[in-house]
Amino acid sequence: MNYDKLLESVKKHEGFRDVVYRDTLNKRTVGYGHLCVEDHWEDGKKYDKEYLEKILEKDLQSAIDQAHDMCANLKISDNAKTIICEMIFQLGGNGVSKFKNMWKALKEDPPNYFEAHVQMLDSRWAKQTPNRAHDMAEQMQNSK
């Protein structure tokens, strides 16, 4: 998995805000798409970018660990693993596990990246964040 590519893609897709904001699902979020599940986040407070970068690194490592587990038995490209990792970053492992037909396509031998891309786009996720979903699905389709 290409960490630098993953980091760059997440930053591009998430954008950055140094104050707590509401995401597209009206959930409190800060930094690079960090869901404010902890109690210490304050509305209206400006947070240090360095601190929020460290939060991003922890969130990414969690997504990488989950992607490693979820892809352990698949023979997919590093590019496909990187895409799965970013999906986990955005949707959580539980959310990504619900892409049953995408996983089915990735389990084929060889992996059916075209069908995986079709299934990524046939989702509520693609309706909620269409630009990101289309970008990532196109990358999946071109995986080798």
Side-chain angles (χ1 to χ4, degrees):
M1 185 178 319
N2 185 328
Y3 182 83
D4 291 336
K5 181 179 176 185
L6 173 63
L7 180 63
E8 179 185 322
S9 185
V10 166
K11 284 183 171 185
K12 177 184 94 173
H13 288 130
E14 290 291 343
F16 175 79
R17 296 201 198 161
D18 58 7
V19 295
V20 174
Y21 65 96
R22 296 284 177 167
D23 69 8
T24 57
L25 298 177
N26 203 32
K27 294 184 179 184
R28 294 176 72 240
T29 309
V30 70
Y32 295 98
H34 177 78
L35 196 59
C36 298
V37 293
E38 308 88 357
D39 292 338
H40 64 83
W41 299 105
E42 298 175 37
D43 291 341
K45 178 179 177 181
K46 186 174 182 177
Y47 290 92
D48 184 60
K49 187 170 186 175
E50 229 175 79
Y51 173 67
L52 295 172
E53 293 262 352
K54 289 187 187 326
I55 299 288
L56 172 62
E57 289 173 19
K58 288 179 185 174
D59 289 348
L60 271 180
Q61 190 57 57
S62 175
I64 290 167
D65 293 345
Q66 290 178 71
H68 179 74
D69 291 345
M70 293 173 81
C71 297
N73 297 321
L74 300 179
K75 296 175 182 167
I76 60 174
S77 68
D78 279 351
N79 187 59
K81 287 178 188 170
T82 301
I83 294 161
I84 296 293
C85 189
E86 184 170 348
M87 290 177 73
I88 293 169
F89 179 89
Q90 183 185 9
L91 304 170
N94 188 44
V96 176
S97 72
K98 295 176 182 170
F99 284 72
K100 302 288 186 209
N101 291 324
M102 178 194 75
W103 290 109
K104 184 178 175 185
L106 293 175
K107 287 177 184 171
E108 291 181 25
D109 189 15
N112 187 338
Y113 296 118
F114 178 79
E115 184 60 25
H117 123 276
V118 168
Q119 296 305 321
M120 289 167 72
L121 294 177
D122 184 23
S123 66
R124 188 171 55 195
W125 169 63
K127 290 174 183 66
Q128 291 170 340
T129 54
N131 293 340
R132 184 181 205 164
H134 281 82
D135 183 38
M136 291 171 62
E138 184 176 314
Q139 289 177 50
M140 180 66 81
Q141 177 182 350
N142 296 321
S143 290
K144 290 184 173 71

